[in-house]
Amino acid sequence: MPEQETQDTVVRLFLCGDVMTGRGIDQILPHSTDPVLYESYVKDARDYVRLAERVNGTIKSPASYDYIWGDALEVWEENSPNLKLINLETSITTHDEPWPGKGINYRMHPENIRVVTAAGIDHCSLANNHTLDWGRKGLEETIHTLQAAGITFSGAGQNEQQAEEASALDTPNGRVLVFSYGSQSSGVPGMWAAEPGLSGVNLLPDLSEKTLRIIKQQIESIKKPGDIVIFSVHWGANWGYSIPERHREFAHRLIDEAGVDLIFGHSSHHPLGIEVHNGKLIIYGAGDFINDYEGITGKEEYRGELTLMYFPEIDHSNGLLKALKMVPMEVKKFRLKRAGPKDAGWLKNTLDREGKPLGTSVRMDVKRSLWLEW
């Protein structure tokens, strides 16, 4: 097939893992919330700024709204994705009452939504374990803020129906549908589940036959020929490379039986192995993308400061993966920068090692971009 015809059938996406713009990051932006925290050891969000500065030097504040994206802005320009999709793991609110007993509560000031629009983000998955950190009032303000900014979202809502709704996003080469779910295995409290008359998140109750059947029905009710269906799911532990067999089985069945074209998993603080099942991409854990973890010790072996920008190319005529490019990044001073040769190589080797049992490998080109092979 001629190259032009091939390109006409391809949708290029940008995906990344957890975007955590609360706590320390919120404190360096132009409009910060009250820094009070209710954690066991840290009681002031500005302490996370101090921890990062102790390791990597002074962070100038207030920072511009595009500051945290750093080199990612150039990477986006180079790759020109049709859509940018993130998992936003932060409540956007000034509401001061945290969810009782939650312990760790992320929020950023609504005025700081401009940090999201500065990156040109098209869609936020909200079905995660921080969306209701500041209660249902905090969720309500999050929803209103995203709507006012023109940013689509899925996975949470004012009631069960809204929380279950998929986002439908148009591209020049086809429509993309995003269904977002959050699992209790990632720390989503069961009481956060949206109900007919109660706001909350779209909770994935289990990985049973019944759940699969419900998801299949939801997809069939909206999917049209040529649509690409993304299943965004917040599941699994924060640390460790092991992928539960039940996750693999469920992911395979979502593709084979429910009409899903791409599994976009997140929750792990570092990238996990990647699989291609019957031509469809499965990202089990995308890893964090931006957070305020600099200076926090422990788990150093996972290199949590290293992150990935994922650029899958999907054929909208059949949902098959044509290519997956990944750009290694590093978080330093709450800012994304391109990873150096050694760090990019470490990510390549890690993805190679973890992908081997899944039938994938990774090659690195001269520009230090990583390409999935299957």
Side-chain angles (χ1 to χ4, degrees):
M1 181 179 291
E3 183 177 347
Q4 183 60 47
E5 289 183 24
T6 301
Q7 288 304 310
D8 284 348
T9 70
V10 167
V11 173
R12 181 182 291 113
L13 304 172
F14 164 74
L15 306 175
C16 70
D18 302 343
V19 171
M20 311 177 81
T21 51
R23 274 191 341 194
I25 289 179
D26 178 67
Q27 294 302 308
I28 69 165
L29 294 173
H31 300 272
S32 302
T33 59
D34 188 328
V36 64
L37 297 176
Y38 299 89
E39 301 174 10
S40 299
Y41 299 103
V42 181
K43 305 300 182 182
D44 190 315
R46 291 168 295 188
D47 287 344
Y48 285 101
V49 182
R50 298 180 188 110
L51 283 170
E53 290 181 327
R54 188 181 302 170
V55 174
N56 290 318
T58 302
I59 300 172
K60 295 181 180 180
S61 61
S64 64
Y65 286 113
D66 62 1
Y67 168 81
I68 66 170
W69 307 116
D71 292 345
L73 296 169
E74 184 179 71
V75 175
W76 282 321
E77 187 173 352
E78 291 171 356
N79 290 276
S80 302
N82 298 118
L83 295 172
K84 299 175 186 173
L85 316 177
I86 69 172
N87 174 55
L88 181 63
E89 209 167 5
T90 297
S91 182
I92 310 171
T93 183
T94 56
H95 181 60
D96 284 329
E97 188 174 341
W99 190 275
K102 179 68 165 49
I104 298 178
N105 309 90
Y106 278 88
R107 64 171 170 170
M108 74 170 179
H109 196 286
E111 289 290 336
N112 289 338
I113 189 63
R114 282 179 278 182
V115 80
V116 181
T117 57
I121 301 301
D122 296 289
H123 178 271
C124 297
S125 294
L126 298 182
N128 59 61
N129 59 314
H130 287 291
T131 297
L132 268 77
D133 275 358
W134 295 87
R136 300 190 195 278
K137 289 184 178 179
L139 173 60
E140 183 177 352
E141 191 169 11
T142 299
I143 289 171
H144 289 162
T145 303
L146 289 169
Q147 289 173 333
I151 301 169
T152 64
F153 62 90
S154 59
Q158 302 283 16
N159 51 54
E160 185 178 37
Q161 181 180 358
Q162 188 182 60
E164 290 178 349
E165 286 178 357
S167 290
L169 305 165
D170 292 319
T171 80
N173 293 345
R175 193 170 69 151
V176 175
L177 307 177
V178 185
F179 292 82
S180 295
Y181 284 81
S183 168
Q184 287 181 263
S185 66
S186 68
V188 180
M191 63 186 68
W192 282 13
E195 298 178 8
L198 187 67
S199 64
V201 302
N202 190 26
L203 191 69
L204 187 69
D206 50 40
L207 306 180
S208 67
E209 183 80 29
K210 178 182 178 182
T211 298
L212 184 73
R213 189 164 57 249
I214 292 170
I215 293 169
K216 180 181 180 180
Q217 291 170 349
Q218 291 173 337
I219 292 172
E220 289 177 343
S221 71
I222 186 174
K223 186 177 184 180
K224 299 176 181 177
D227 287 347
I228 294 171
V229 174
I230 296 178
F231 188 83
S232 177
V233 57
H234 203 65
W235 61 354
N238 290 154
W239 303 104
Y241 292 105
S242 177
I243 297 169
E245 189 60 32
R246 64 186 183 279
H247 285 192
R248 287 194 69 191
E249 292 175 358
F250 194 70
H252 291 178
R253 294 190 69 185
L254 284 170
I255 289 169
D256 294 339
E257 302 173 35
V260 170
D261 298 304
L262 191 159
I263 311 288
F264 171 30
H266 30 83
S267 176
S268 59
H269 287 326
H270 52 87
L272 302 182
I274 301 169
E275 184 174 13
V276 179
H277 175 72
N278 288 339
K280 307 291 180 77
L281 177 63
I282 305 175
I283 299 173
Y284 286 104
D288 286 346
F289 189 50
I290 186 75
N291 58 40
D292 65 350
Y293 291 173
E294 280 177 75
I296 301 175
T297 56
K299 309 294 185 182
E300 283 85 357
E301 67 270 25
Y302 294 107
R303 302 297 306 277
E305 77 279 8
L306 300 181
T307 71
L308 286 171
M309 301 179 74
Y310 299 80
F311 293 96
E313 294 187 2
I314 312 295
D315 188 331
H316 82 79
S317 67
N318 53 26
L320 296 177
L321 178 68
K322 306 297 288 185
L324 174 61
K325 178 182 181 180
M326 295 166 283
V327 180
M329 307 293 285
E330 178 187 9
V331 180
K332 192 171 184 178
K333 295 186 178 181
F334 294 172
R335 193 169 193 260
L336 288 157
K337 57 181 292 238
R338 291 179 191 259
K342 185 176 180 180
D343 290 333
W346 187 91
L347 280 168
K348 176 208 174 295
N349 292 338
T350 300
L351 291 174
D352 252 344
R353 183 191 71 217
E354 298 305 320
K356 187 175 181 180
L358 306 174
T360 60
S361 60
V362 174
R363 67 176 172 86
M364 184 163 64
D365 66 20
V366 294
K367 294 184 178 181
R368 299 197 294 275
S369 295
L370 308 182
W371 295 85
L372 189 73
E373 296 186 334
W374 66 94

